[in-house]
Amino acid sequence: MRDTFNRKIDYLRISITDRCNLRCRYCMPEEGVPSVGHGQVLTFEELFRISRIAVEHGVRKIRLTGGEPLVRRGLIPFVERLCQLPQRPELTLTSNGLLLAEQAAELKKVGLQRVNVSLDTLKPERFEQITRRPGLDKVLEGISAAEAAGLWPLKVNMVPIRGVNADEIADFARLTFEHDWQVRFIEFMPVSGDLDYPPESRFSAAEIFEVLGSIAPFKEIERKGPVGPARLYQFEGAKGVVGVIPAVSDHFCGECNRLRLTADGFLRPCLFCEDEIDLRTALRQGCSDEELAQLLLGAVQIKPERHRIAEETVVPERRRKMQGIGG
Ligand code: SAM
Ligand code: SF4
């Protein structure tokens, strides 16, 4: 699939649930987000059908996300079915890690290749402050379990927030001396005006590089395979690598290869544009595979050239936050 800017679209991110067992302040308001009704969430059968058609039309990578994907019952058989598709897409998952210790081995067994774990602090009280829930020990156990299960390379995603956890960038980066992980720093994105951190909280990629430079000499490493948004670097003598994702200051829209599917069945051609294509109604009205494929191709055709969040002077209150789109 190619969009009107000649970008090849071969990556589908599926939010399998909008529910979450954390309440990260940069992602959700205190009271949570009104959950999509049970009947509105796509069934695994519906998610599988969309995935199959997407793969038949050139999708090569599927990431399962949420909300928190590990809270949805039935995930493991779903992963297994996706892995049995004849074109066998690369299959990955993004998780907050809380339930990973219980599920990592089984996920690996049914075919999951990799996992990205989101972790923003190594301090227990701070974890509770950012996520509004306890659980750092569980996340660390989850990371160990993923590593032991062979979900490799293990990626740890950290969102540095000024005045909150940006002082831990160096501690996270130093983890790569000990561990063969990819520790990635993602610029905070001001997704919606009603979240706890204002746009000025963003710790920019340039500031992140400054901190990295104060630790040890590092060199850029060549990215192999499909190019993602992270620029990768390695400190001299380190086992792992660090990544920087300048999601706002130097958006990677020119290389964007993604479509996103929300848990309630809407295709979003862009993380930050409100345009959505309703697959759920079509599915439940008995559309054919061909009609579903046309909707998919239609979403590709309306992918905008780029997002403009860096230019917004006032952040609007958006209906869907990150948890509703999948990040
Ligand atoms: N619950 C899972 C998790 O936290 O990994 C998956 C869904 S979460 C929405 C996916 C990713 O989005 C996480 O890595 C999270 O840190 C990131 N995220 C959420 N809100 C963000 C924001 N405002 N700016 C940057 N990243 C954000
Ligand atoms: Fe949940 Fe992930 Fe959002 Fe945190 S970032 S509230 S873990 S969906």
Side-chain angles (χ1 to χ4, degrees):
M1 295 186 284
R2 288 219 171 249
D3 72 1
T4 54
F5 302 97
N6 203 29
R7 290 172 297 199
K8 187 174 171 190
I9 310 303
D10 58 5
Y11 178 13
L12 177 64
R13 296 174 66 103
I14 306 179
S15 169
I16 65 164
T17 176
D18 66 331
R19 290 167 194 260
C20 189
N21 43 4
L22 293 181
R23 291 282 178 279
C24 304
R25 288 174 191 271
Y26 52 66
C27 181
M28 282 205 217
E30 169 102 56
E31 62 283 8
V33 169
S35 192
V36 173
H38 189 60
Q40 288 164 287
V41 172
L42 294 192
T43 63
F44 277 122
E45 199 54 47
E46 290 168 327
L47 290 172
F48 180 74
R49 186 169 174 215
I50 296 170
S51 307
R52 173 177 59 74
I53 291 170
V55 168
E56 284 166 4
H57 285 78
V59 162
R60 292 289 163 261
K61 175 173 169 182
I62 295 179
R63 174 174 300 280
L64 305 180
T65 171
E68 173 50 35
L70 300 189
V71 301
R72 182 156 179 190
R73 249 184 261 150
L75 169 67
I76 305 247
F78 178 57
V79 169
E80 188 165 25
R81 275 186 91 188
L82 289 178
C83 292
Q84 287 165 354
L85 282 168
Q87 301 84 348
R88 194 166 179 158
E90 183 186 348
L91 198 69
T92 64
L93 181 142
T94 300
S95 167
N96 62 27
L98 272 184
L99 299 174
L100 198 53
E102 297 156 31
Q103 300 187 35
E106 190 117 30
L107 283 165
K108 173 70 183 173
K109 195 164 136 212
V110 295
L112 186 79
Q113 278 154 294
R114 292 189 286 103
V115 64
N116 289 9
V117 181
S118 309
L119 178 63
D120 300 310
T121 177
L122 299 168
K123 302 180 182 189
E125 313 79 55
R126 201 178 262 185
F127 181 93
E128 194 163 341
Q129 187 215 334
I130 297 172
T131 69
R132 302 190 180 101
R133 299 280 188 279
L136 175 63
D137 49 344
K138 288 266 171 251
V139 179
L140 296 176
E141 274 173 38
I143 291 177
S144 301
E147 212 178 5
L151 292 165
W152 187 88
L154 185 97
K155 297 184 186 176
V156 176
N157 290 343
M158 188 235 192
V159 179
I161 313 275
R162 192 181 308 286
V164 176
N165 64 342
D167 59 341
E168 289 186 69
I169 292 174
D171 292 342
F172 272 80
R174 283 195 198 96
L175 291 172
T176 65
F177 285 107
E178 299 264 311
H179 302 280
D180 182 13
W181 299 344
Q182 208 182 95
V183 175
R184 308 176 336 149
F185 301 100
I186 305 176
E187 273 185 349
F188 162 65
M189 295 176 254
V191 188
S192 183
D194 54 349
L195 297 177
D196 271 16
Y197 306 131
E200 312 79 77
S201 309
R202 176 164 57 88
F203 204 77
S204 70
E207 293 170 288
I208 296 168
F209 281 122
E210 220 170 280
V211 178
L212 298 181
S214 70
I215 299 171
F218 61 85
K219 62 174 188 329
E220 184 158 6
I221 60 172
E222 213 185 302
R223 294 181 288 179
K224 297 193 191 95
V227 174
R231 319 245 159 96
L232 301 179
Y233 305 86
Q234 189 162 41
F235 292 113
E236 267 173 31
K239 292 184 182 156
V241 299
V242 292
V244 178
I245 304 186
V248 179
S249 64
D250 182 14
H251 62 82
F252 35 85
C253 303
E255 297 169 9
C256 182
N257 59 348
R258 303 160 179 212
L259 280 181
R260 293 176 162 85
L261 178 64
T262 65
D264 54 345
F266 289 78
L267 265 183
R268 269 181 94 101
C270 171
L271 180 54
F272 293 109
C273 303
E274 301 289 327
D275 289 337
E276 296 185 338
I277 295 209
D278 179 3
L279 297 191
R280 189 182 67 214
T281 303
L283 278 167
R284 294 186 180 176
Q285 286 176 349
C287 70
S288 66
D289 281 3
E290 182 49 38
E291 284 163 336
L292 208 50
Q294 285 309 319
L295 289 174
L296 205 72
L297 295 167
V300 169
Q301 289 316 302
I302 61 166
K303 250 181 101 64
E305 185 175 17
R306 49 170 291 208
H307 70 65
R308 303 204 176 267
I309 50 166
E311 292 136 52
E312 278 173 358
T313 44
V314 178
V315 182
E317 210 170 288
R318 290 189 171 94
R319 184 173 67 88
R320 287 200 205 263
K321 326 285 187 230
M322 282 296 209
Q323 135 287 349
I325 310 172

